[in-house]
Amino acid sequence: SACLVMYLFAEFDDAAHLLAANPDATTISIDEPVEIPKNQHSRLQEPGREEDDELLGTDDSDKTELLAGQKKSAPFWTFEYYQTFFDVDTYQVLDRIKGSVFPVPGKNFVRLYIRSNPDLYGPFWICATLVFTIAVSGNLSNFFIHLGKPTYHYVPEFRKVSIAATTIYAYAWLVPLALWGFLMWRNSKVMNIVSYSFLEIVCVYGYSLFIYIPTAILWIIPQKVVRWVLVVFSLCLSGSVLVMTFWPAVRDDNRRIAVATVATILLLHALLAVGCLAYFFDAPELDIPAPIIPAHNGTTVITKSH
Amino acid sequence: FPGLADVSISQDIPVEGEITVPVGSHSPDEDYSTLDEPVKDTIMRDLKAVGKKFVHVMYPRKSSTLLRDWDLWGPLVLCVSLALMLQGGSADSKDDGGPQFAEVFVIIWFGAVVITLNSKLLGGTISFFQSLCVLGYCVMPLTVAMLVCRLVLLAGAGTVSFIIRLIVVGAMFGWSTLASTAFLADSQPPNRKALVVYPIFLFYFVISWMILTFTPQ
């Protein structure tokens, strides 16, 4: 065993010398994950396999985990610990929002944009904006739909703000928690190549909700067809971001469980959109008591109002 | 030292006298002597400080006095008056009305705390209460807008009054946001200014929305 130790030391020495001489060289670690500074991540892959690795995250998943764990080194009761979750600049937040709205086929949102720096700024403020956007848009839309009707008196419907806040924040935090717990459980049974930390999942979910903000504004238009087209469109965009993120994390599992997981993710996302549309926005053809007109032959005809 | 050669103290000479340190009326630690001043002086000093801050909000300039001597009297008065004026907007069913007193109060204070925490987490150098003070004082234009809206609504609730209210509330919303940004922007890291300003914008937008949608019964 002494010979083995000497051999390992020699190897490490050689590698250190090589690295010192040529810092841009590609290094492959065999046993333990070696601490690699962040700026060498992107040079660890050959250009041809970049896309696959971006999607699978095979290149740096465990090193990413290590670095993510290293960043939060302050104890959790200090202010500095929480500051590490807000370590983003304006352009980074804008990039992440762009990445959630225009999903590039084949690119994994987490690997491409988050890169072991998950932030809580985006999820929190996107959810806050979405809450108020849905409440305000719903109120405006109801106002325009019922405008002109003699019995209509405008109400601000302020209660709905608290309901919207509860729903959206619960979705943005509890669903990632459940998903993370589920993925951890599957990880213990099946060795998955890709695994995400809880904050990364919260990040993906938070940024994927961004598309619903312009959708909610456009839902003011009182046409059923327009609203449903918008639902489908936004669901496709944000759903594809979620699918491309989570498919690599479950594809090594039992095929049925993988498909069921992804289907549940999409279903919950769709449920949120449809639920918000149904609850906060009155249907355009709202039924006011229709006048009953007695017809000539004595039968009553009820006219439908548009 | 030839003169001291023959100085000797052979017996105990009692030393007595008075030692007084004259305390001038303009000594630097004047604060410690505010205990003896008449109550009117104390109140007037605080009122003057609050009034000076209101003037600062009216004409926002980058000034450090607003930040240094923070107080929360102004925000409290503004918040309570705004919440009181937003009363009376409830509809037939309790569920659909405007915000209640407690809701307005909670939104303003909780919103200000969250924005302050957000700017501190992003690396801002402003202190917690200074930021609360600025955000609270900058609600003043919106309180003025609420007053104007109630007066306009006394005259009638038609389309013209709505347009007037929209213009007034919109202008005051812009004023509030600009005033608070002018005070708070310097203390933020340069490449995160937009991240700090956006929640302030959202905060005043929500308050403006509550003011604009106020409909008396």
Side-chain angles (χ1 to χ4, degrees), chain A residues 182-258:
Chain A
F182 176 76
L183 287 178
M184 286 292 118
W185 175 60
R186 292 311 300 173
N187 255 355
S188 69
K189 302 211 160 192
V190 175
M191 191 54 219
N192 275 325
I193 300 180
V194 173
S195 68
Y196 298 118
S197 72
F198 171 61
L199 281 169
E200 287 172 340
I201 301 184
V202 166
C203 230
V204 173
Y205 263 87
Y207 281 103
S208 74
L209 285 178
F210 177 81
I211 187 74
Y212 288 134
I213 295 176
T215 309
I217 297 177
L218 287 175
W219 273 343
I220 296 179
I221 302 173
Q223 296 292 330
K224 256 195 171 164
V225 173
V226 169
R227 288 180 176 179
W228 280 101
V229 163
L230 283 169
V231 168
V232 169
F233 183 64
S234 61
L235 199 56
C236 284
L237 279 183
S238 60
S240 64
V241 169
L242 289 177
V243 165
M244 282 197 289
T245 304
F246 289 110
W247 179 247
V250 288
R251 68 197 267 175
D252 301 313
D253 208 343
N254 184 351
R255 178 59 46 148
R256 284 194 350 208
I257 292 189

Side-chain angles (χ1 to χ4, degrees), chain A residues 87-88 90 121 129 157 159, chain B residues 95-96 103 191-192 195 198:
Chain A
D87 194 16
V88 279
T90 309
Y121 177 90
T129 311
E157 291 175 321
R159 284 289 172 284
Chain B
D95 280 346
D96 279 349
E103 285 169 334
N191 44 354
R192 295 180 183 182
L195 296 185
Y198 172 70

Side-chain angles (χ1 to χ4, degrees), chain B residues 96-165:
Chain B
D96 279 349
Q100 302 298 314
F101 182 93
E103 285 169 334
V104 177
F105 215 81
V106 162
I107 281 188
I108 292 183
W109 287 101
F110 187 63
V113 166
V114 165
I115 292 175
T116 306
L117 279 179
N118 175 66
S119 80
K120 283 187 79 68
L121 282 168
L122 282 169
T125 53
I126 201 172
S127 100
F128 182 77
F129 285 107
Q130 281 173 353
S131 172
L132 277 189
C133 167
V134 169
L135 287 170
Y137 271 102
C138 290
V139 171
M140 191 195 79
L142 287 170
T143 312
V144 168
M146 183 74 224
L147 200 60
V148 170
C149 280
R150 282 214 87 144
L151 292 174
V152 167
L153 278 172
L154 282 179
T159 314
V160 172
S161 97
F162 175 73
I163 293 182
I164 297 177
R165 281 185 289 142

Side-chain angles (χ1 to χ4, degrees), chain B residues 190-201:
Chain B
N191 44 354
R192 295 180 183 182
K193 278 207 168 54
L195 296 185
V196 172
V197 167
Y198 172 70
I200 299 178
F201 169 88

